[in-house]
Structures are given as structure tokens and as C-alpha cells.
Amino acid sequence: MLDQAAIWLQYALPQRALTELAGALARRPLGAVTQRAIRRFIARYGVDMTEAAQPDPAAYATFNDFFTRALRPGARPLAQADLVCPVDGAISQCGPIAGDRILQAKGHDYTVAALLGGDAALAAAFADGTFATLYLSPRDYHRIHMPCAGRLRRMVHVPGALFSVNPATARGVPGLFARNERVVCVFEGDVRGRRVPFVLVLVGATIVGSMATVWHGVVNPPRPGIVRRWDYDERDIALAQGAEMGRFLLGSTVIVLLPPGCAELAPDWAPGRPVRMGEAMGRWCA
């Protein structure tokens, strides 16, 4: 009942206004107010600052600076694996894509095309493929890294709602990840001499002030309410495995899509399992 009440409240709240206000405050250097907010956040969520490149909370001028903090060198060594986990967090769901449908939670799924902003041609490349939905809690490290080396092909900003993406909301809001605002990043990898597409979808949420990528900077705001697309075929943007590709300014969820017959997730990957950036996620099998 408490979960259902929280979901009803999200329908009633002005999601966009709250998110834009939170984003504006998080971007501003507010001195003692910022410092107090950072320290309370660390205490409330048990953030491990010993992993940060800058462990002193007082060194961060804005809340966003703190929230997107870098890790100290060596804090996340890369596993010897074809595919490594792109984020710190927990597995919401993972496994095979059933035709064109991705499992969200028990009783809920959504289509690949809906997730990708209605791009049926791109969605077809992932029918019967593999997916992993990774939830980043407030305490987690909020930079996103490459699961494998890849060349950027295009990026799409899809407008949408701003529901929370915590596990309770995933169980209660149909089509959550295909309804929320998101940034779709399409890459191409080289697998044994064959070009293989893969996608990282950055899903927005309530109070997620913005999402950014290393090649574009902040993608949102602005939020014009229309689908925006960028094509990078004429630019050579290649990122190595483990390289940073983006970040959340206040956290959310990342969905990884892999094509059929190409990849297998690690045997111990299952819903609810905590994960850390750089650990083995799977292998190429083609």
C-alpha cells in the first residue's frame, strides 16, 4: 500500500518543475548551504568518500560537482572480459529480449522500439537479443563507462515523463523506462572482425537535473518536448573499454542492449545483484 501511494503521488506531482528546480539548485555554488546538503547526503545514504579522487566534501563547490565526483585511480579495475559493467548499482532485470519485448518487472514489459524513441529499424537489430537494466541508487558513483570499445554512431534525446526509477516504481508504473525521458546512445563495436551494434540508454527520473555525454556535454536541459537526433557517422568518436561516456547529474538507470547471437551475460548476473563498474558483465559469443 505504501508503494502504491508513493506511485500515485508521482502522478500528481509536477515532475518537470521539481526536476528543473532541483537541477538549478544543484548547479549553483551556494556556500554553506551546499556544504550542509553534501554532508547530509553523505550521512543519509552512506556514501563512501574514501573511493573518491577528492575525498573532502568541502572541496566541492556545487552539489553536482560532488554528485558526479571522479573515483581515485585504481578504485575500479577492469576485469579481463569482453564486456564489463558500465556503472555502479544493482541489476534491476537482465537476460534475453523476448522477440521485441524487454522485461521491466513482474507483470510489466515494453518494446525495444518504444525504448528507442520509435526507431523500428534500430529496434529490429536487437530483437531476441540481450539486455541489462542497471539501477543507480543515490549513494552510487554516477559516471557511466563503456562496456566495450565502440565507435559512436548516433544519439537521440527522447522527451518523456520523469517518474522515479527505483524498484518500487518499476513494479508499479507500466512501461516506465519507455515513458521516462532518455538519451539513446548507439555504438558499433568490432567483434572478431565483424561490426556489431550496441546501445546504452540513459534513463532520466524525478530530480535528475540533467544527463551529459563526453562528446556533447549536457544534453538536457533544454527540454523542447520533441525528439532530437545527432548523427556522428562523419565524425570519428571512438571510446575504449572502460572509458567514461556520460554521467547523471542526480542518478537514474542505464539499459544496455546487445544484438542476438552475439553476447552472453555472466552466469552470476541476476536481478537484485549489486554490481560495480568494471566487473565482468559477459562475453562475445560470435
Side-chain angles (χ1 to χ4, degrees):
M1 288 296 292
L2 288 175
D3 285 351
Q4 193 61 51
I7 292 168
W8 288 338
L9 183 61
Q10 290 185 59
Y11 278 102
L13 288 172
Q15 298 173 341
R16 179 165 173 168
L18 287 172
T19 297
E20 290 183 350
L21 175 61
L25 292 174
R27 290 191 295 270
R28 293 181 182 176
L30 299 174
V33 174
T34 295
Q35 292 305 312
R36 193 156 49 244
I38 290 173
R39 292 183 185 280
R40 286 182 178 176
F41 189 94
I42 291 170
R44 169 68 178 82
Y45 292 106
V47 177
D48 183 1
M49 293 301 291
T50 65
E51 293 187 327
Q54 174 49 267
D56 181 7
Y60 297 97
T62 70
F63 191 85
N64 272 348
D65 290 344
F66 155 72
F67 199 82
T68 60
R69 62 195 176 276
L71 294 175
R72 60 176 171 76
R76 296 291 184 277
L78 297 185
Q80 295 295 312
D82 293 337
L83 298 162
V84 298
C85 184
V87 294
D88 283 6
I91 301 170
S92 177
Q93 294 291 337
C94 67
I97 298 170
D100 68 342
R101 306 199 73 85
I102 300 173
L103 179 65
Q104 174 178 302
K106 185 177 181 180
H108 295 299
D109 63 12
Y110 55 92
T111 67
V112 179
L115 178 68
L116 300 179
D119 189 333
L122 177 61
F126 298 95
D128 295 312
T130 302
F131 82 99
T133 303
L134 308 174
Y135 169 65
L136 288 70
S137 73
R139 67 170 294 174
D140 288 319
Y141 167 66
H142 278 85
R143 299 191 184 191
I144 306 150
H145 295 254
M146 294 290 288
C148 61
R151 182 182 175 192
L152 181 66
R153 288 303 189 186
R154 58 188 183 274
M155 179 175 74
V156 184
H157 174 224
V158 185
L162 291 165
F163 288 101
S164 168
V165 289
N166 63 32
T169 309
R171 291 191 297 269
V173 175
L176 172 64
F177 302 120
R179 294 174 70 170
N180 269 16
E181 178 180 31
R182 53 210 179 274
V183 175
V184 177
C185 304
V186 183
F187 293 93
E188 187 175 79
D190 185 348
V191 180
R192 300 176 178 88
R194 184 160 66 97
R195 293 179 177 178
V196 173
F198 64 96
V199 171
L200 273 69
V201 182
L202 285 56
V203 183
T206 309
I207 315 298
V208 177
S210 61
M211 292 174 275
T213 63
V214 297
W215 57 86
H216 182 91
V218 173
V219 178
N220 61 318
R223 290 183 169 95
I226 60 171
V227 175
R228 295 184 292 155
R229 295 181 173 87
W230 294 265
D231 191 322
Y232 296 98
D233 280 344
E234 301 303 315
R235 295 175 58 186
D236 187 15
I237 301 177
L239 299 173
Q241 184 182 56
E244 181 185 344
M245 60 76 60
R247 60 184 68 177
F248 290 114
L249 285 79
L250 303 183
S252 190
T253 286
V254 171
I255 301 173
V256 182
L257 301 182
L258 302 166
C262 289
E264 293 179 352
L265 295 179
D268 59 343
W269 269 47
R273 180 186 181 279
V275 292
R276 283 161 67 95
M277 193 283 285
E279 73 169 72
M281 182 173 77
R283 70 180 187 92
W284 295 118
C285 56

